């Protein structure tokens, strides 16, 4: 039966022709190679800069007595949430349990946290301006949004390979891959937040003779902040997920523990690290949300 | 020359070829609905011309969708006309460069909005001082000048509150002080009191009248409420589907409606508050000896005297000379919109 059907067609219509092959694979490789040879200097400079910040952050967090970090995070939560005791207790408990699970995990958490913080800061530094730009320009928006869709749907592993090729192994390519993977929410929600600012209010600012810049800084960004913070929250969550995955290319941190656990079939070790990751995620989520909630309350709408 | 001159302004919301077609249609007399059906463009304003004198309250009255907001936004160029001219103090607003336009909005003109449009993330005093902040005025000076206006509208004690913590009436008083704080010559008010409860609205109207007595600003005031228009306006323009049906003083509008539409509108107005003795009086009778009233007394205020006196009231001018007479019957006719001739 099948042979009969196959017999009805010429050979090229039966099996996919070998030479009908879009060499996307080769192109990409060539492109990355070309980038590295032509612009290697730029990548090295960027890499060095990121590394300096990263190492500084990591050393700082690891050298600080754990009690100080613990109390600092607690205080940050307490004040940015508008003095909510319950939330602060939850966050503090999570922090405490990270160390309690296994003392080694505290240091590893600080490493993961520093990669994540640096990535998130870069995401904000790049994402907010891009979001502002596309909120003002529909054509740019039509170009950027599909790119963001692509970045988010692509399996996150895919970013690791060009990251390695551009930056080698270690923490810097991890930051690079994390930024690409985690930046879309900040851009999207900045754009959305600015577009959602009440037209009347923008008009009021215009009517007073505010320049574009004054309007942006004094009205649009502050009013978009709850949304922007929502984006930052999502970005931190995605960054955390990516940092864990990025341990495959040599970032040290909680992800490494999971990886080692898997390789040694040491389920307990992997689980402990997994628990620490979850706890860290809860902490980051609550802290950024509490911080975002501030802006909603401030104008009395929350 | 009038302070604000709007000349033959057409505004069509649309783009491309449809816009050109729509403009052609409008210029050859087509109406809003025809333009919309034919081209898909909304005819916002059609051949609107008006002039606002220095120091007057010029009211634009019309139903929702008639183009009032569109019209008032042409004066500070929040909207650009499709064709036409807008002159403020002799200068063509449409010729302004970006900097000139910003300077114009910072200094000469401010705006009050129907839904207040306060900045929700700024306190009352920051809201009021926003115009000065935009101008680059120092914070201390800003606070000082903002406080003066907060005091003026009776919001002392609320300067550090956020808008959401205030009632509607209070919010609009913030909106008013924000507009006044830059000491503009022109105040654009787009249905400023429409969102307020009737009692508060009345208070705000009184407040505006009192304010205007001191400040002598030039005010363009939008409303959909004819009573409000007649109460506040030195001149009133009636807008319908983007076309001005009539411009005139309140009494003129009431007594001589130019179109069927305006007539329909003024039917339910409380005439006693607007129409004056001068409009209804009959020629003076030599032997009359009734009480005297000034020629600009509104009918409502003549009622008590008329009830008490069997003889017709004598109408006098500023010099005290008798210029006419009003009998009970004349007064009733005037109140009833019956046989009144200008
Ligand atoms: N930006 C716009 N785009 C398209 N149509 C508009 C726009 N602004 C106003 N219009 C239309 O113009 C007409 C007049 O609107 P508007 O000036 O807001 O009326 P009013 O203030 O008297 O209620 C309405 O039909 C409205 O739908
Ligand atoms: Mg309106």
């Amino acid at each position: 039966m099948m042979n009969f059907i196959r017999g009805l067609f010429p050979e090229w219509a039966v099996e996919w022709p070998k030479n009908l092959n879009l060499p996307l694979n080769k192109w990409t490789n060539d492109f990355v190679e070309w980038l590295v040879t032509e612009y290697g200097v730029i990548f090295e400079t960027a890499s060095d800069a990121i590394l300096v910040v990263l190492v500084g952050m990591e050393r700082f967090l690891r050298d600080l007595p754990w009690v100080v970090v613990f109390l600092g995070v607690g205080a940050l939560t307490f004040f940015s949430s508008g003095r909510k005791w319950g939330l602060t207790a939850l966050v503090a408990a999570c922090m405490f349990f990270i160390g309690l699970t296994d003392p080694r995990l505290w240091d590893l958490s600080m490493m993961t946290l520093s990669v994540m913080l640096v990535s998130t800061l870069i995401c904000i530094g790049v994402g907010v301006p891009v979001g502002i730009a596309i909120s003002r320009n529909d054509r740019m928006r039509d170009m950027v949004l599909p790119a963001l869709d692509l970045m988010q749907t692509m399996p996150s592993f895919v970013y690791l390979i060009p990251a390695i090729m551009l930056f080698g192994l270690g923490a810097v390519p991890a930051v690079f891959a994390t930024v690409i993977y985690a930046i879309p929410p900040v851009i999207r929600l900045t754009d959305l937040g600015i577009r959602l600012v009440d037209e009347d209010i923008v008009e009021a600012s215009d009517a007073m003779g505010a320049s574009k810049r004054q309007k942006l800084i004094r009205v649009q960004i502050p009013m978009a902040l709850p949304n922007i913070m929502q984006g930052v929250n999502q970005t931190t969550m995605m960054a955390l997920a990516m940092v864990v995955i990025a341990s495959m290319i040599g970032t040290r941190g909680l992800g490494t523990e999971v990886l080692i656990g898997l390789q040694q079939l040491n389920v307990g070790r992997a689980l402990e690290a997994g628990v620490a990751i979850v706890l860290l995620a809860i902490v980051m989520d609550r802290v950024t949300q509490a911080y975002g909630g501030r802006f909603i309350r401030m104008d009395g709408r929350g | 020359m009038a302070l604000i001159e709007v000349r033959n302004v057409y505004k069509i919301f649309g783009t491309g070829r449809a816009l050109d077609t729509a403009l052609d249609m409008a210029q050859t007399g087509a109406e809003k609905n025809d333009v919309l059906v034919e081209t898909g463009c909304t005819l916002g304003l059609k051949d609107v011309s008006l002039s606002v004198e220095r120091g007057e309250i010029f009211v634009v009255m019309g139903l929702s969708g008639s183009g009032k907001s569109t019209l008032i936004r042409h004066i500070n160029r929040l909207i650009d006309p499709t064709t036409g001219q807008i002159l403020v103090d002799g200068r063509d607003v449409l010729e302004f460069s970006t900097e000139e336009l910003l300077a114009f909005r910072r200094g000469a003109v401010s705006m009050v909005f129907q839904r207040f449009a306060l900045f929700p993330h700024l306190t009352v005093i920051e809201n009021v001082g926003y115009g000065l902040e935009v101008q680059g005025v120092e914070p201390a000076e800003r606070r000082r000048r903002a406080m003066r206006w907060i005091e003026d509208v009776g919001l002392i004690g609320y300067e550090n509150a956020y808008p959401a913590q205030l009632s509607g009436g209070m919010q609009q008083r913030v909106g008013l002080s924000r507009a006044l704080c830059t000491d503009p010559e022109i105040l654009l008010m787009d249905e400023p009191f429409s969102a307020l409860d009737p009692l508060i609205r009345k208070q705000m109207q009184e407040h505006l009248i009192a304010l205007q007595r001191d400040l002598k600003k030039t005010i363009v005031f939008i409303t959909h409420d004819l009573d409000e228009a007649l109460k506040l306006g030195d001149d009133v323009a009636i807008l319908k589907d983007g076309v001005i049906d009539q411009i005139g003083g309140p009494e003129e509008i009431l007594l001589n409606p130019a179109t069927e539409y305006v007539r329909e509108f003024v039917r339910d107005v409380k005439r006693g508050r607007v129409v004056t003795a001068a409009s209804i009086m009959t020629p003076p009778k030599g032997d009359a000896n009734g009480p005297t009233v000034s020629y600009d007394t509104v009918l409502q205020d003549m009622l008590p005297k008329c009830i008490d006196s069997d003889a017709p009231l004598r109408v006098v001018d500023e010099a005290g000379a008798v210029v006419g007479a009003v009998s009970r019957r004349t007064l009733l006719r005037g109140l009833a919109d019956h046989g009144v001739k200008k």
Side-chain angles (χ1 to χ4, degrees), chain B residues 136-188:
Chain B
V137 174
E138 291 302 311
E141 169 74 358
R142 212 153 72 201
R143 278 192 75 81
R144 197 182 61 71
R145 284 166 65 182
M147 272 318 275
R148 173 190 176 305
W149 287 108
I150 290 174
E151 193 178 339
D152 192 272
V153 298
L155 284 178
I156 289 284
Y158 290 97
E159 58 271 17
N160 293 319
Y162 286 96
Q165 298 169 307
L166 306 181
S167 71
M170 287 157 98
Q171 289 192 39
Q172 194 57 303
R173 281 188 271 164
V174 176
L176 187 59
S177 14
R178 177 176 68 180
L180 289 168
C181 194
T182 56
D183 195 21
E185 177 157 31
I186 299 169
L187 207 54
L188 305 177

Side-chain angles (χ1 to χ4, degrees), chain A residues 204-281:
Chain A
S205 176
D206 281 336
M208 311 236 66
S211 66
K212 271 189 168 177
R213 217 183 109 93
Q214 289 172 321
K215 182 169 67 178
L216 187 69
I217 291 175
R218 198 67 174 124
V219 178
Q220 289 172 304
I221 291 182
M223 288 191 66
L225 264 184
N227 274 311
I228 296 177
M229 285 309 297
Q230 194 66 43
V232 171
N233 174 274
Q234 288 181 21
T235 288
T236 37
M237 291 299 104
M238 289 174 70
L240 181 60
M242 190 64 191
V243 170
V244 171
I245 290 169
S247 61
M248 290 199 301
I249 55 172
T251 346
R252 298 214 322 110
L254 292 171
T256 331
E257 281 293 296
V258 179
L259 219 57
I260 294 172
L262 285 178
Q263 282 158 0
Q264 301 177 344
L265 283 181
N266 185 341
V267 186
R269 189 169 175 181
L271 184 72
E272 277 191 346
V275 168
I277 291 167
V278 171
L279 292 173
L280 201 57

Side-chain angles (χ1 to χ4, degrees), chain B residues 13 32 42 44 63-70 191:
Chain B
F13 294 104
K32 179 168 174 165
T42 305
L63 296 181
S64 153
S66 58
K68 308 179 296 292
S69 297
T70 307
E191 301 204 37

